[in-house]
Amino acid sequence: MIVTLDDFIKEYTNIKEMGWIKTHRQGPTGIGKTLEDLLGIPENNLDQPDFGEYELKSCRIDSQSMLTMFTRAPQPAKSNTYLREKYGYSSSAYDNEEKVLHSTLSANRFTPIANTGNMLKIRCESDGIYIESQDMVENVFWSKDALKKCFEKKYKNKFVYAKALSRNSGALEEFHFIEAYEVSGFDYKAFINLLENGKIYVDLRIGQYHSGKNKGKTHDHGTGFRIRESDQHLLFKTQNKIV
């Protein structure tokens, strides 16, 4: 059982020398499960470190898989309803004419919204990020402080990021773990830089209630901030290569 960072470095170095290792679980979570098994870390979904003061993360090098960093509704209050009514579209998933707004936005280009003729993107400002249409910058935003709090709540521990090469797929996937980094401290400047370069996406998931007293009213499914798993370590100020 590993307890300290030195323990991890010793065991991970041994795993690196093993070469290609068959996945212990099929699918996206296979890499994490495999590494945890090899290190003797029991699988859990608790909000606590995996060993010592560290949470363990792993990723496939050059993976295009996306991870949700956190979810956060925009400010001010009722912004989701405003966006849905102004930019949304009718959906066959509902038996009424009320609108929904499902779209993935980035800061480096406008995204067309269904067949509405509207386009939206993310605009970065010094105090936070805003939603911009082809006509105007909306007063719909996520403040710098709110984003920082969301990130630090989700990523409050220190982290070790393990990186592996991957080959084959499904139950035949294999990993070669080759390096690891100690990372900590949310870097807001890096967050904005990644956003401006189209490496962070904002998923608007604004629907409506299907039934009950709120039928037809806005249902926030959680606006998600997403990043490729191979880029996630770039969000941290401290990045020390340990293996």
Side-chain angles (χ1 to χ4, degrees):
M1 179 178 179
I2 63 173
V3 177
T4 67
L5 187 61
D6 286 340
D7 291 338
F8 171 83
I9 292 171
K10 179 181 177 180
E11 293 302 320
Y12 190 79
T13 300
N14 291 335
I15 292 169
K16 177 181 177 179
E17 293 174 353
M18 292 169 63
W20 292 99
I21 300 166
K22 186 177 180 182
T23 187
H24 291 192
R25 173 186 290 160
Q26 183 172 332
T29 61
I31 184 171
K33 172 63 173 171
T34 303
L35 184 56
E36 287 176 349
D37 287 351
L38 294 170
L39 291 170
I41 297 174
E43 186 175 23
N44 71 76
N45 295 314
L46 301 178
D47 186 16
Q48 64 185 32
D50 292 306
F51 69 93
E53 58 182 336
Y54 293 94
E55 186 172 337
L56 180 63
K57 299 286 186 181
S58 54
C59 72
R60 300 163 176 84
I61 293 175
D62 298 328
S63 170
Q64 299 301 303
S65 297
M66 301 294 291
L67 299 173
T68 298
M69 294 181 286
F70 54 82
T71 60
R72 174 79 179 193
Q75 299 170 262
K78 299 184 179 180
S79 288
N80 279 335
T81 296
Y82 171 79
L83 292 173
R84 181 175 70 86
E85 292 178 348
K86 183 172 182 179
Y87 297 107
Y89 50 91
S90 297
S91 170
S92 59
Y94 301 89
D95 60 357
N96 57 38
E97 294 303 313
E98 294 292 339
K99 298 175 180 179
V100 299
L101 179 55
H102 293 176
S103 186
T104 298
L105 308 184
S106 64
N108 63 340
R109 63 179 177 84
F110 278 101
T111 298
I113 306 300
N115 59 354
T116 64
N118 294 316
M119 295 190 295
L120 296 175
K121 68 186 291 287
I122 296 299
R123 181 184 180 95
C124 299
E125 299 287 356
S126 60
D127 59 342
I129 66 173
Y130 291 74
I131 288 184
E132 179 180 4
S133 72
Q134 68 268 43
D135 300 317
M136 62 184 293
V137 178
E138 293 284 1
N139 185 38
V140 175
F141 61 92
W142 293 264
S143 70
K144 177 180 178 180
D145 287 343
L147 292 171
K148 186 172 184 290
K149 287 179 181 177
C150 282
F151 192 92
E152 291 177 343
K153 181 179 180 181
K154 181 73 176 287
Y155 300 93
K156 62 185 179 182
N157 302 310
K158 286 186 176 181
F159 290 85
V160 168
Y161 267 88
K163 294 188 171 186
L165 298 170
S166 171
R167 68 184 183 188
N168 305 325
S169 60
L172 299 178
E173 187 174 16
E174 294 179 310
F175 306 110
H176 184 188
F177 294 94
I178 61 171
E179 58 187 15
Y181 295 80
E182 178 190 18
V183 301
S184 63
F186 176 51
D187 189 339
Y188 184 75
K189 289 183 179 179
F191 176 89
I192 293 299
N193 183 60
L194 289 165
L195 190 61
E196 289 179 330
N197 285 285
K199 292 188 175 182
I200 291 177
Y201 300 87
V202 179
D203 275 357
L204 297 180
R205 298 181 286 214
I206 309 171
Q208 55 169 291
Y209 286 96
H210 282 275
S211 59
K213 64 180 182 180
N214 291 323
K215 183 176 181 179
K217 293 183 178 180
T218 300
H219 185 188
D220 179 12
H221 295 284
T223 298
F225 287 75
R226 308 185 75 211
I227 189 170
R228 287 184 177 88
E229 67 175 35
S230 56
D231 289 334
Q232 194 175 24
H233 70 284
L234 300 175
L235 293 164
F236 296 87
K237 292 178 181 177
T238 301
Q239 300 181 42
N240 297 322
K241 188 174 182 180
I242 54 177
V243 177

